[in-house]
């Protein structure tokens, strides 16, 4: 069985699926990715599916499950490179892929994750400022 490589780029794990996703390969990817998120502490996952011509219901559900597992492990998932035929198939199968953001390519996916992390950091800074204001007013 072939394995899908998981590469670490900064605070992001990049998965580029270049092989046909059979059920066992998809399940192995799910496990490998969860292990890598824990091992690296990364906060973002990008799954590049631009090489996939078709996605069946099992692989679609596995992508949604990967996103859910990633979220529980404090990492957001972005699927990039989705072909129009794949998007149409997912919609026709009734798979909405909850919890998965999409972007046209890897670069835009990285920008999306960076914006989300900056927003979270800004929120934390605002909370710290509010706490300091309360202490100063006391």
């Amino acid at each position: 069985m072939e394995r899908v490589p998981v590469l670490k780029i900064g605070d992001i794990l990049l998965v580029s699926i270049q092989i046909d996703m059979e059920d066992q390969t998809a399940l192995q990817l799910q496990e490998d990715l969860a292990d890598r998120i824990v091992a690296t502490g990364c906060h973002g996952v990008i799954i590049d599916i631009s090489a996939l011509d078709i996605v069946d219901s099992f692989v679609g559900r596995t992508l949604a499950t990967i996103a859910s597992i990633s979220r529980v492990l404090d990492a957001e998932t972005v699927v990039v490179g989705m072909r129009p035929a794949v998007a149409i198939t997912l919609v026709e199968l009734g798979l909405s892929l909850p919890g998965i953001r999409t972007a046209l390519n890897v670069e835009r996916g990285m920008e999306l994750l960076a914006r989300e992390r900056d927003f979270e950091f800004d929120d934390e800074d605002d909370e710290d400022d509010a706490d300091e204001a309360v202490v100063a007013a006391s």
Side-chain angles (χ1 to χ4, degrees), residues 103-123:
L104 292 177
N105 56 41
V106 172
E107 183 179 359
R108 287 190 177 182
M110 292 179 84
E111 290 170 2
L112 177 62
L113 288 172
R115 279 196 311 266
E116 286 180 1
R117 293 305 294 176
D118 287 344
F119 179 72
E120 288 180 26
F121 289 132
D122 289 345
D123 282 351

Side-chain angles (χ1 to χ4, degrees), residues 61-72:
R61 283 192 308 273
T62 302
L63 289 173
T65 300
I66 286 171
S68 296
I69 292 168
S70 298
R71 196 173 325 101
V72 168

Side-chain angles (χ1 to χ4, degrees), residues 18-127:
Q18 300 292 317
I19 58 174
D20 288 332
M21 286 293 287
E22 296 174 10
D23 293 358
Q24 195 59 38
T25 306
L27 291 172
Q28 187 63 55
L29 173 61
Q30 182 177 301
E31 188 175 319
D32 290 346
L33 196 50
D35 289 343
R36 288 293 303 273
I37 291 168
V38 171
T40 63
C42 285
H43 295 287
V45 175
I46 294 177
I47 302 174
D48 181 2
I49 62 170
S50 59
L52 296 182
D53 292 323
I54 58 168
V55 172
D56 64 15
S57 62
F58 182 79
V59 172
R61 283 192 308 273
T62 302
L63 289 173
T65 300
I66 286 171
S68 296
I69 292 168
S70 298
R71 196 173 325 101
V72 168
L73 296 174
D74 194 29
E76 294 300 318
T77 301
V78 179
V79 173
V80 302
M82 188 177 304
R83 295 175 183 228
V86 170
I88 291 167
T89 300
L90 290 173
V91 170
E92 287 175 349
L93 292 172
L95 298 173
S96 61
L97 302 180
I100 296 182
R101 296 204 189 312
T102 58
L104 292 177
N105 56 41
V106 172
E107 183 179 359
R108 287 190 177 182
M110 292 179 84
E111 290 170 2
L112 177 62
L113 288 172
R115 279 196 311 266
E116 286 180 1
R117 293 305 294 176
D118 287 344
F119 179 72
E120 288 180 26
F121 289 132
D122 289 345
D123 282 351
E124 290 172 8
D125 291 342
D126 292 345
E127 289 174 12

